[in-house]
C-alpha cells in the first residue's frame, strides 16, 4: 500500500472507494468494506466472477441505504469499476506523490482542507504567493461543499511535469447542482447568494491557471482546477 | 457592538496580521462588521493585511469596501485621532 494514500486504488476497496467518494461518508464506507470481508483487499484484476457478483450484490443494499441520491448511477459506476479497468489511474511517472483525498463534511473540514492544500503547495515547491492562492481557492471550494451540498470530497493531485510543479484540485459533491442560467450569473459576477457573497466560484476561476466546472440541477457539482508553478 | 456602545468608542480596529488566508466569505464577514460599526457612528479599520492576502483579494475581484484600511495599528490610531 502506498504510504500517502489511504487505500491502494487497484484493490476492490480502492476502486469502490473512488466511486463512492463524496456520495457516502468515509465512516459508512469503512463499515461497508468491513462487511465485504477479505475480498475488499484483493486487486480488481484478481477478483473472480463469483466474488465480483457477491461484492456487487452486497454493495447494492448498502448503497441504496446510504447514498444521498443517485444510487442507481452509483451502482452502475461500481459495476464498471469492478469490471477490471481501474477507475483511478495508477501513479504515473509525472505524479509527485499519490493524490490526497480530503472528505468535506462539516465546517471544521474547511480549515483542515485549507491547511492541507497549503502544505501540499509549499511541499511541491509552489511560490509563497501561489500557495496562499491555492489555500484560498480550496477554502472557497470547501465552503461551497459544506454550504450547498452538505458533504463532498476535495482531491489534491500534486504533479511534477518536467520539473514544473503543478497542483490539480478536484472538488466533488452530489449536492443540488447549479442550473446553467445561474452559473452564467455567477461567472458574470452578478450573482448574490443569501449566505455567502456568491463570489466564491468566480473567485476560484480567477485565482486558478486552469478551471472547469461540470454541474447540472440534481447531478451534483465537480470543479476541476489547477495551479501551475512558475519558474 | 455592545462594547462600542458602552464605551462610546470612536473607532474599531481589526488586526488581521496573524491571518494568512482571507477568502470571499471572511471578506463578507469583515465588510458586515465594518458596516455595523459605521451604522453606530464609529469608524472601522482593518490593519495588518498581509501582502499575499492583499494580492489574492485583488486577483479574486472581491472588495473590502466597508472598512478603512491602514498598514498597522499605530497608523490606524493616528488616523482615528486626527478624525476626532
Amino acid at each position: 500500500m502506498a504510504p500517502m494514500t489511504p487505500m491502494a486504488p487497484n484493490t476492490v476497496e480502492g476502486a469502490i472507494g473512488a466511486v463512492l467518494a463524496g456520495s457516502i461518508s468515509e465512516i459508512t464506507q469503512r463499515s461497508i468494506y468491513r462487511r465485504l470481508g477479505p475480498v475488499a483487499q484483493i486487486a480488481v484484476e484478481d477478483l473472480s466472477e463469483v466474488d465480483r457478483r457477491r461484492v456487487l450484490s452486497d454493495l447494492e443494499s448498502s448503497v441504496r441505504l446510504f447514498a444521498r441520491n443517485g444510487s442507481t448511477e452509483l451502482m452502475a459506476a461500481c459495476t464498471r469499476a469492478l469490471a477490471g479497468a481501474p477507475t483511478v489511474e495508477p501513479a504515473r511517472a509525472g505524479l509527485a506523490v499519490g493524490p490526497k483525498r480530503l472528505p468535506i463534511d462539516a465546517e471544521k473540514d474547511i480549515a483542515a482542507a485549507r491547511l492541507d492544500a497549503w502544505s501540499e503547495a509549499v511541499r511541491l515547491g509552489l511560490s509563497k504567493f501561489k500557495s496562499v492562492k491555492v489555500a484560498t481557492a480550496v477554502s472557497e471550494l470547501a465552503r461551497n461543499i459544506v454550504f450547498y451540498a452538505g458533504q463532498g470530497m476535495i482531491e489534491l493531485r500534486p504533479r511534477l511535469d518536467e520539473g514544473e510543479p503543478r497542483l490539480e484540485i478536484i472538488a466533488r459533491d452530489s449536492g443540488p447542482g447549479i442550473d446553467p442560467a445561474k452559473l452564467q450569473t455567477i461567472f458574470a459576477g452578478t450573482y448574490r447568494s443569501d449566505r455567502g457573497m456568491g463570489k466564491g466560484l468566480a473567485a476560484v476561476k480567477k485565482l486558478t491557471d486552469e478551471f472547469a466546472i461540470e454541474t447540472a440541477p440534481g447531478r451534483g457539482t465537480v470543479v476541476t482546477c489547477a495551479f501551475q508553478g512558475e519558474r | 457592538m455592545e462594547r462600542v456602545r458602552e464605551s462610546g468608542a470612536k473607532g474599531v480596529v481589526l488586526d488581521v496580521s496573524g491571518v494568512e488566508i482571507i477568502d470571499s466569505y471572511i471578506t463578507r464577514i469583515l465588510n458586515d462588521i465594518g458596516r455595523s460599526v459605521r451604522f453606530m457612528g464609529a469608524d472601522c479599520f482593518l490593519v495588518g493585511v498581509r501582502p499575499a492576502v492583499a494580492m489574492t483579494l485583488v486577483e479574486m475581484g472581491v472588495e473590502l469596501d466597508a472598512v478603512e484600511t491602514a498598514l498597522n495599528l499605530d497608523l490606524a490610531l493616528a488616523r482615528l485621532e486626527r478624525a476626532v
Side-chain angles (χ1 to χ4, degrees):
Chain A
M1 202 180 278
M4 293 297 288
T5 46
M7 31 191 183
N10 60 336
T11 61
V12 169
E13 182 179 304
I16 298 169
V19 175
L20 299 186
S23 302
I24 294 184
S25 78
E26 291 238 313
I27 294 170
T28 311
Q29 279 186 46
R30 273 197 290 276
S31 84
I32 293 174
Y33 306 142
R34 260 200 308 278
R35 274 189 50 194
L36 291 179
V39 74
Q41 307 302 328
I42 291 180
V44 172
E45 306 88 84
D46 300 338
L47 195 65
S48 71
E49 183 56 27
V50 176
D51 277 340
R52 197 178 73 86
R53 286 194 190 163
R54 188 181 69 77
V55 166
L56 285 173
S57 86
D58 278 3
L59 257 182
E60 182 142 29
S61 53
S62 309
V63 167
R64 289 213 188 289
L65 198 60
F66 294 115
R68 291 157 55 85
N69 46 40
S71 64
T72 311
E73 287 84 357
L74 274 178
M75 275 315 296
C78 285
T79 309
R80 279 196 302 275
L82 293 184
T87 49
V88 177
E89 42 195 312
R92 278 174 289 176
L95 204 59
V97 288
K100 223 180 217 180
R101 296 161 72 203
L102 316 169
I104 309 293
D105 295 328
E107 189 83 30
K108 66 171 169 50
D109 297 327
I110 301 173
R114 190 158 58 206
L115 274 180
D116 276 335
W118 194 352
S119 57
E120 200 65 21
V122 170
R123 197 184 58 74
L124 194 60
L126 295 183
S127 71
K128 189 172 172 280
F129 174 41
K130 203 95 178 187
S131 301
V132 168
K133 293 206 295 182
V134 167
T136 308
V138 166
S139 187
E140 302 284 359
L141 293 170
R143 207 177 289 280
N144 278 354
I145 290 176
V146 172
F147 272 5
Y148 299 108
Q151 65 172 183
M153 176 78 76
I154 289 184
E155 189 174 326
L156 305 173
R157 295 180 168 201
R159 300 179 55 91
L160 282 171
D161 288 334
E162 291 159 15
E164 294 265 354
R166 174 183 163 86
L167 185 57
E168 294 170 1
I169 299 164
I170 301 158
R172 203 185 297 272
D173 68 60
S174 32
I178 308 167
D179 73 65
K182 191 157 142 194
L183 205 58
Q184 217 163 21
T185 63
I186 286 174
F187 290 114
T190 49
Y191 177 71
R192 291 285 178 278
S193 75
D194 318 332
R195 286 186 286 183
M197 275 182 31
K199 291 212 160 188
L201 270 181
V204 172
K205 189 177 182 185
K206 286 179 192 154
L207 286 178
T208 50
D209 298 315
E210 282 166 40
F211 180 92
I213 183 165
E214 268 177 76
T215 184
R219 305 284 304 268
T221 302
V222 181
V223 174
T224 311
C225 54
F227 287 91
Q228 193 75 45
E230 63 255 300
R231 278 177 195 269
Chain B
M1 295 302 151
E2 282 301 321
R3 288 274 300 281
V4 173
R5 193 181 62 145
E6 284 162 15
S7 63
K10 296 284 185 291
V12 172
V13 180
L14 304 170
D15 186 347
V16 292
S17 56
V19 181
E20 312 222 41
I21 305 291
I22 295 182
D23 64 8
S24 65
Y25 178 74
I26 297 175
T27 308
R28 192 189 100 126
I29 292 175
L30 292 171
N31 278 327
D32 285 352
I33 294 173
R35 250 174 240 119
S36 311
V37 169
R38 199 176 284 169
F39 267 126
M40 297 183 69
D43 288 329
C44 188
F45 273 87
L46 192 68
V47 304
V49 175
R50 291 171 173 241
V53 169
M55 287 159 79
T56 303
L57 289 176
V58 169
E59 217 168 290
M60 285 162 74
V62 299
E63 310 268 351
L64 267 170
D65 45 10
V67 290
E68 301 288 324
T69 52
L71 211 49
N72 56 44
L73 182 59
D74 288 342
L75 292 171
L77 291 178
R79 273 170 61 187
L80 273 169
E81 264 167 36
R82 267 204 305 276
V84 173

